[in-house]
């Protein structure tokens, strides 16, 4: 009887480990761009960046922003190893919009240096244009 109990415990541990690993994998597969504010960008993200930072400046009322969101999150999932992806609501973060001269939404920037160097594209980008922008930032990235 004890042998059966031991086998059951071992089996339960294996199932738990597999479930845990599956949950980690699914989190990575469905990772999306995190919405942040300007304080988080300036105080945490830029000072600690270890790869380029891609930011989608959007507005909740903007129809093209809503359409672009799916493209942006899809690229974020695919290229999460090359860059970190974030979204900033322009209506709640005026200072950062001024700092990066955001005049239209959506606008995408790729910060490739802690010194503030970046690439910028206005409008709802198609997937290939966004991928090219991410790759440019990745090549220019300075540690």
């Amino acid at each position: 009887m004890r042998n059966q109990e031991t086998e059951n415990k071992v089996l339960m541990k294996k199932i738990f480990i597999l479930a845990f690993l599956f949950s980690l994998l699914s989190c990575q597969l469905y990772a999306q761009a995190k919405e942040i504010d300007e304080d988080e960008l300036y105080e945490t993200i830029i000072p600690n960046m270890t790869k380029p930072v891609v930011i989608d400046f959007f507005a909740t009322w903007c129809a093209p922003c809503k359409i672009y969101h799916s493209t942006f999150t899809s690229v974020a999932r695919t290229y999460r190893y090359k860059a970190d992806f974030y979204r900033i609501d322009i209506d709640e973060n005026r200072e950062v919009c001024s700092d990066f001269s955001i005049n239209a939404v959506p606008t995408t920037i790729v910060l490739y240096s802690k010194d503030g160097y970046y690439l910028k594209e206005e409008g709802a980008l198609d997937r290939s244009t966004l991928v090219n922008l991410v790759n440019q930032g990745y090549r220019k990235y300075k540690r």
Side-chain angles (χ1 to χ4, degrees):
M1 189 62 131
R2 285 188 191 256
N3 201 13
Q4 182 66 34
E5 289 176 8
T6 303
E7 287 178 17
N8 285 343
K9 286 181 182 179
V10 170
L11 181 61
M12 291 304 291
K13 283 182 182 178
K14 287 179 180 178
I15 291 171
F16 175 76
I17 290 169
L18 285 173
F20 177 73
L21 292 174
F22 179 75
S23 68
L24 286 177
L25 177 62
S26 64
C27 286
Q28 287 300 312
L29 290 175
Y30 297 106
Q32 294 187 6
K34 180 182 176 194
E35 190 169 329
I36 60 167
D37 62 24
E38 56 200 12
D39 293 335
E40 191 172 359
L41 177 67
Y42 289 129
E43 295 170 11
T44 306
I45 294 167
I46 293 175
N48 298 307
M49 67 188 283
T50 58
K51 52 189 167 183
V53 172
V54 184
I55 304 170
D56 169 24
F57 287 89
F58 75 99
T60 56
W61 46 263
C62 168
C65 296
K66 292 175 184 175
I67 295 167
Y68 180 54
H69 177 72
S70 64
T71 301
F72 190 80
T73 55
S74 172
V75 171
R77 281 192 299 271
T78 306
Y79 289 88
R80 67 186 175 273
Y81 299 110
K82 281 191 172 184
D84 291 324
F85 292 79
Y86 301 98
R87 302 182 74 230
I88 294 179
D89 186 334
I90 63 158
D91 292 324
E92 297 177 11
N93 299 280
R94 299 283 185 188
E95 184 179 324
V96 71
C97 293
S98 176
D99 293 346
F100 289 105
S101 301
I102 304 300
N103 299 315
V105 286
T107 294
T108 306
I109 66 164
V110 179
L111 289 164
Y112 58 85
S113 166
K114 291 180 184 180
D115 297 329
Y117 295 107
Y118 63 93
L119 305 166
K120 178 178 169 182
E121 288 285 337
E122 292 182 345
L125 309 178
D126 60 41
R127 182 177 175 81
S128 64
T129 303
L130 179 55
V131 167
N132 287 335
L133 191 65
V134 171
N135 285 328
Q136 283 178 26
Y138 183 76
R139 286 190 300 272
K140 291 178 174 254
Y141 177 69
K142 309 231 186 313
R143 292 184 186 235

